[in-house]
Coordinates of all heavy atoms in Angstrom, one line a residue:
A89 N 33.1 -10.1 66.4 CA 33.1 -11.1 67.5 C 32.8 -12.5 66.9 O 32.0 -12.6 65.9 CB 32.1 -10.8 68.6
R90 N 33.3 -13.5 67.5 CA 33.0 -14.9 67.1 C 32.1 -15.6 68.0 O 32.0 -15.3 69.2 CB 34.3 -15.7 67.0 CG 35.1 -15.5 65.8 CD 34.6 -16.2 64.6 NE 34.8 -17.7 64.8 CZ 33.8 -18.6 65.0 NH1 32.6 -18.2 65.0 NH2 34.1 -19.8 65.1
Q91 N 31.4 -16.6 67.5 CA 30.5 -17.4 68.2 C 30.3 -18.7 67.5 O 30.1 -18.7 66.3 CB 29.1 -16.8 68.5 CG 28.1 -17.7 69.1 CD 28.2 -17.7 70.6 OE1 29.0 -17.0 71.2 NE2 27.4 -18.6 71.3
D92 N 30.4 -19.9 68.2 CA 30.2 -21.2 67.5 C 28.7 -21.6 67.8 O 28.1 -21.2 68.8 CB 31.1 -22.2 68.1 CG 32.5 -22.2 67.4 OD1 32.6 -21.6 66.3 OD2 33.4 -22.9 67.8
S97 N 27.5 -17.9 75.0 CA 28.1 -16.7 75.6 C 27.4 -16.3 76.8 O 26.1 -16.1 76.8 CB 28.2 -15.6 74.6 OG 29.1 -15.8 73.6
R101 N 29.4 -11.1 78.3 CA 30.7 -11.3 77.6 C 31.1 -10.1 76.7 O 32.2 -9.6 76.8 CB 30.6 -12.6 76.8 CG 31.8 -12.8 75.8 CD 31.4 -13.6 74.6 NE 32.4 -13.4 73.5 CZ 32.2 -13.9 72.3 NH1 31.2 -14.6 72.0 NH2 33.1 -13.5 71.3
L102 N 30.2 -9.7 75.8 CA 30.5 -8.7 74.8 C 30.7 -7.4 75.5 O 31.6 -6.6 75.1 CB 29.5 -8.6 73.7 CG 29.4 -9.9 72.8 CD1 28.3 -9.7 71.8 CD2 30.7 -10.1 72.1
E105 N 34.2 -7.4 77.0 CA 35.2 -7.4 75.9 C 35.3 -6.0 75.3 O 36.4 -5.5 75.0 CB 34.9 -8.5 74.9 CG 35.1 -9.9 75.4 CD 34.9 -11.0 74.4 OE1 34.1 -10.7 73.4 OE2 35.4 -12.1 74.5
V117 N 40.4 -9.4 72.0 CA 40.1 -9.6 73.4 C 39.3 -11.0 73.5 O 38.3 -11.1 72.8 CB 39.2 -8.5 74.1 CG1 38.8 -8.9 75.5 CG2 39.9 -7.2 74.0
G118 N 39.8 -11.9 74.3 CA 39.2 -13.2 74.4 C 38.9 -13.4 75.9 O 39.0 -12.5 76.7
T119 N 38.4 -14.6 76.2 CA 38.1 -15.0 77.6 C 38.5 -16.4 77.9 O 38.8 -17.2 77.0 CB 36.6 -14.8 77.9 OG1 35.9 -16.0 77.5 CG2 36.0 -13.6 77.3
C120 N 38.5 -16.8 79.1 CA 38.5 -18.2 79.5 C 37.2 -18.8 79.3 O 36.2 -18.1 79.1 CB 39.0 -18.4 80.9 SG 40.7 -17.7 81.3
A121 N 37.1 -20.1 79.4 CA 35.8 -20.8 79.1 C 35.5 -21.9 80.1 O 36.4 -22.6 80.5 CB 35.7 -21.3 77.7
V135 N 43.4 -19.7 79.5 CA 44.4 -19.2 78.6 C 45.1 -18.0 79.2 O 44.6 -17.4 80.2 CB 43.7 -18.7 77.3 CG1 43.4 -19.8 76.3 CG2 42.4 -17.9 77.6
F150 N 44.5 -18.1 72.4 CA 43.2 -17.6 72.4 C 42.2 -18.7 72.1 O 42.5 -19.6 71.3 CB 43.0 -16.5 71.3 CG 43.9 -15.2 71.6 CD1 45.1 -15.1 70.9 CD2 43.5 -14.3 72.5 CE1 45.9 -14.0 71.1 CE2 44.2 -13.1 72.7 CZ 45.5 -13.0 72.0
I151 N 41.0 -18.6 72.8 CA 40.0 -19.6 72.4 C 39.1 -18.9 71.3 O 38.4 -17.9 71.6 CB 39.1 -19.9 73.7 CG1 39.9 -20.4 74.8 CG2 38.0 -20.9 73.3 CD1 39.2 -20.6 76.1
H152 N 39.3 -19.4 70.1 CA 38.8 -18.7 69.0 C 37.3 -18.1 69.1 O 37.1 -16.9 68.8 CB 38.9 -19.6 67.7 CG 38.5 -19.0 66.4 ND1 38.0 -19.7 65.4 CD2 38.5 -17.7 66.0 CE1 37.8 -18.9 64.4 NE2 38.0 -17.7 64.7
P153 N 36.3 -19.0 69.5 CA 35.0 -18.4 69.5 C 34.7 -17.4 70.6 O 33.6 -16.9 70.6 CB 34.1 -19.7 69.6 CG 35.0 -20.7 70.3 CD 36.4 -20.4 69.8
T154 N 35.6 -17.2 71.5 CA 35.4 -16.2 72.5 C 35.9 -14.8 72.2 O 35.6 -13.8 72.9 CB 36.2 -16.6 73.8 OG1 37.6 -16.3 73.7 CG2 35.9 -18.0 74.2
V155 N 36.5 -14.6 71.0 CA 37.2 -13.4 70.8 C 36.3 -12.3 70.2 O 35.4 -12.5 69.5 CB 38.5 -13.6 69.9 CG1 39.5 -14.5 70.5 CG2 38.1 -14.0 68.5
L156 N 36.7 -11.0 70.5 CA 36.3 -9.8 69.9 C 37.5 -9.2 69.3 O 38.5 -9.0 70.0 CB 35.6 -8.9 70.9 CG 35.1 -7.5 70.4 CD1 33.9 -7.6 69.6 CD2 34.9 -6.6 71.6
N195 N 43.3 -11.7 77.2 CA 42.3 -12.6 77.6 C 41.7 -12.2 79.0 O 42.5 -12.0 79.9 CB 42.8 -14.0 77.7 CG 42.9 -14.7 76.3 OD1 42.1 -14.6 75.5 ND2 44.1 -15.2 76.1
L200 N 33.6 -16.4 80.7 CA 32.5 -15.7 80.1 C 31.9 -16.5 78.9 O 31.0 -16.0 78.2 CB 32.9 -14.3 79.6 CG 33.5 -13.4 80.7 CD1 33.9 -12.1 80.1 CD2 32.4 -13.2 81.8
Y201 N 32.3 -17.7 78.7 CA 31.9 -18.5 77.6 C 31.8 -20.0 78.0 O 32.6 -20.5 78.8 CB 33.0 -18.4 76.5 CG 32.5 -18.8 75.1 CD1 31.8 -17.9 74.3 CD2 32.9 -20.0 74.5 CE1 31.4 -18.3 73.0 CE2 32.5 -20.4 73.3 CZ 31.8 -19.5 72.5 OH 31.4 -19.9 71.2
K202 N 30.8 -20.6 77.4 CA 30.6 -22.1 77.6 C 31.0 -22.8 76.3 O 30.3 -22.6 75.3 CB 29.2 -22.4 78.1 CG 28.9 -21.9 79.5 CD 27.5 -22.3 79.9 CE 27.2 -21.8 81.3 NZ 25.9 -22.3 81.8
Y203 N 32.0 -23.6 76.3 CA 32.7 -24.2 75.2 C 32.4 -25.7 75.1 O 32.8 -26.4 76.0 CB 34.2 -23.9 75.2 CG 35.0 -24.2 74.0 CD1 34.4 -24.0 72.7 CD2 36.3 -24.5 74.1 CE1 35.2 -24.3 71.6 CE2 37.1 -24.7 73.0 CZ 36.5 -24.6 71.7 OH 37.3 -24.8 70.6

Side-chain angles (χ1 to χ4, degrees):
R90 279 282 291 113
Q91 173 83 7
D92 277 346
S97 287
R101 170 204 158 189
L102 293 179
E105 290 180 336
V117 179
T119 80
C120 298
V135 280
F150 295 98
I151 304 173
H152 185 206
T154 74
V155 299
L156 176 73
N195 284 309
L200 300 177
Y201 196 81
K202 294 185 178 181
Y203 192 30

